[in-house]
Amino acid sequence: MKANKNFVNLIVQSQIIKKLESWVPKYSLIGDSIFFSTDQFPWAKKLELNWQVIRQELDSILQHTNELPNFQDIMPRQKNITQDDGWKTYYFYAFGFKAEKSCQRCPETWKLLKEIPGLKVAFFSVLSPKKHIPEHRGKHKGLIRYHLGLIVPEPESACRIRIGDEIAYWQEGKSLIFDDTFAHEVWNDTDGYRVVLFLDIVRPFRFPFSIINWLVCQILTLSPLVQEAKSNYKSWESQFEKIMK
């Protein structure tokens, strides 16, 4: 009975999400496309200007790459797309949860992040050599995905992301902004690590859809998924603190 109820709830949620997504083109202040420009998100230009400051703080964290948590260790749902040690994370913020110690270790990065309007998620995303992330898609069109290239190994063609039918390449110090509800897939076929500053930002909407999107984000903040991720990160952080002392 409980399984049937959960199945029905999933169907209802899916139908609601599809209905909300159908309204995006009408209410989105930035249109409805795969990619977006820094002109549409002016704060991105400040991140680009300070990318080397962020990179310097990243370098100190990467001295402990092996100890960083795998993405699926923090968010078990990600086991659908990654099961090995090839995708490491270092969180700063996620849906109201601030990783205090992480922010203290990277104060300049956090100073830049907290000025970003609509910030919902922020972490360093570290892909190991030869790591492949299979096709997947985000579930909430009310968020926009942002990557700032921090370490991009060569050759360019071997380190790439496909979003929809388009291929994009990261560049150090440059922004890549896209709608992650389009199916996307990632390859790092190089011998080096690829690292980006990974953000999720609230998509700007016209009223009244801006209120609806705010409510959806509040629901996500209180969801078991986010609460579990918060608990997992706190557990990892307590262990990492012992290493850092």
Side-chain angles (χ1 to χ4, degrees), residues 8-21:
V8 170
N9 286 337
L10 284 173
I11 292 176
V12 171
Q13 290 173 15
S14 177
Q15 291 175 339
I16 292 173
I17 289 172
K18 286 182 179 179
K19 181 63 176 178
L20 291 174
E21 287 189 352

Side-chain angles (χ1 to χ4, degrees), residues 104-119:
Q104 290 172 14
R105 296 188 196 101
C106 302
E108 297 304 316
T109 299
W110 175 242
K111 186 184 298 184
L112 291 162
L113 289 174
K114 65 184 181 180
E115 294 179 358
I116 298 174
L119 179 69

